[in-house]
Every structure is written in C-alpha cells, then in structure tokens.
C-alpha cells in the first residue's frame, strides 16, 4: 500500500508517493502483487480481509518498500484482529472449498486449507508466521501431488476448521 501524495489526491498524477512511483520500485520479476492506497488498505483491515491481515505479519526482510507508518500499523496489528476476521477467513475458506469440490482444482483446495491454517495460528498465537506451519503438506496439495489428495484434503480441512472453531470458543476475538 502507499500514501497518496497531495497531487494524486487532487487527481494530478506524478506525485512522490503516486502509485506509479511505487510500481516502479517493485522488481520486474515480481509475479504477485497489488498496490492499494492506505485508505483502501485500512478498509480491508476493517473488514478482516485475509490478504490485508496477512500483510500485518510479513517478515521485515520480505518487505520491498518500508516506512515508519508501516511499522506503526504492524505494531498495532492487534487492533485489527477482531471478530470480523473470523467471518472473512471462514468465508474465504468456505468459498475456496466449494470451488475445489466443484472443479477439483488443487489450488482452490490449497487456498482453503492454507487460510484455515493461518486462522488457526492467528487465533492460537495472535500472529501468523511465514512460512505457515504445514507448508510442505500444503505445497503437495497445491501441486496436486499429495497421496490420495481428496482424502488428505478433506481430513486437513475438517481438522483445521474444527480446531479454529474450538479456539474461537475458548479465546473469543473482540468486537469493535
């Protein structure tokens, strides 16, 4: 995310913190990135968006462009871990799982289980670490090379979902 310049807010391109300047700082070989204004990022955090929540826990050595604002947001990350995270993470996991059942695309299965693993860790420890626990198993699911993929995936999905629900009952998240 970036903080738009005064010029950008007025609709004049080319300010120091313009999205184009941020894009220019991203390595050409980067395959997966989004650029948001800080306003949009806070809106996603408020909704409990999985991608926005994940970004709160990205290791410093993986950050391309850093700032004191980013450090402050990460420092106060606990303020964004609310009951909205549950709805958003469960919704994303369920949507991917339904897609997996309909299409048998291993990537949908992977995303569903990965997001539940992340929620499990977040609920249990108050943070998400990268790589996520179970990363090696998740890779085999994503590549479709897991032994008896459907059975393995179902067991992991049900385990992670049950674990999240159990922790959620024992450690309820605040509602703001």
């Amino acid at each position: 995310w970036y903080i738009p310049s005064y010029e950008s807010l007025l609709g004049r391109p080319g300010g120091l913190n313009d999205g184009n300047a941020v894009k220019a700082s991203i390595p050409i070989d980067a395959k997966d990135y989004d650029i948001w204004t800080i306003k949009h990022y806070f809106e996603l955090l408020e909704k409990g968006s999985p991608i926005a929540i994940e970004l709160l826990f990205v290791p410093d050595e993986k950050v391309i462009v850093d700032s004191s604002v980013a450090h402050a947001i990460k420092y106060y990350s606990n303020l964004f871990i609310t009951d909205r995270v549950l709805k958003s993470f469960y919704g994303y996991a369920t949507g991917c799982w339904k897609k997996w059942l309909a299409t048998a695309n291993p990537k949908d299965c992977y995303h569903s289980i990965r997001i539940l693993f992340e929620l499990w860790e977040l609920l249990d420890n108050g943070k998400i670490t990268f790589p996520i626990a179970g990363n090696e198993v998740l890779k085999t699911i994503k590549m479709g090379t897991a032994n008896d993929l459907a059975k393995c995936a179902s067991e992991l999905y049900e385990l992670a979902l049950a674990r999240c629900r159990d922790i959620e009952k024992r450690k309820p998240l605040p509602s703001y």
Side-chain angles (χ1 to χ4, degrees), residues 14-135:
L16 177 61
N17 292 322
D18 187 28
N20 291 327
V22 175
K23 282 182 190 176
S25 68
I26 296 173
I28 293 172
D29 62 344
K31 293 178 176 54
D32 188 12
Y33 67 89
D34 287 317
I35 298 174
W36 305 315
T37 63
I38 193 167
K39 178 181 181 283
H40 184 66
Y41 181 56
F42 274 108
E43 289 167 350
L44 293 172
L45 284 171
E46 185 180 21
K47 291 177 186 174
S49 165
I51 186 121
I53 298 297
E54 288 170 342
L55 290 175
L56 293 171
F57 302 101
V58 170
D60 290 340
E61 65 272 9
K62 299 293 183 181
V63 174
I64 297 170
V65 179
D66 205 358
S67 72
S68 59
V69 174
H71 283 279
I73 293 169
K74 287 177 80 170
Y75 182 80
Y76 292 105
S77 61
N78 63 316
L79 297 176
F80 304 105
I81 311 306
T82 68
D83 59 349
R84 292 178 184 180
V85 167
L86 296 172
K87 182 178 179 185
S88 190
F89 273 62
Y90 286 140
Y92 184 80
T94 302
C96 288
W97 188 252
K98 286 178 180 176
K99 205 169 166 188
W100 148 251
L101 294 175
T103 66
N105 182 340
K107 288 185 180 180
D108 294 320
C109 180
Y110 159 80
H111 285 300
S112 181
I113 296 169
R114 175 189 55 84
I115 211 72
L116 287 175
F117 277 24
E118 288 178 4
L119 180 59
W120 179 350
E121 184 179 15
L122 185 61
L123 290 171
D124 211 22
N125 302 319
K127 65 181 182 175
I128 301 170
T129 55
F130 295 100
I132 191 74
N135 190 44

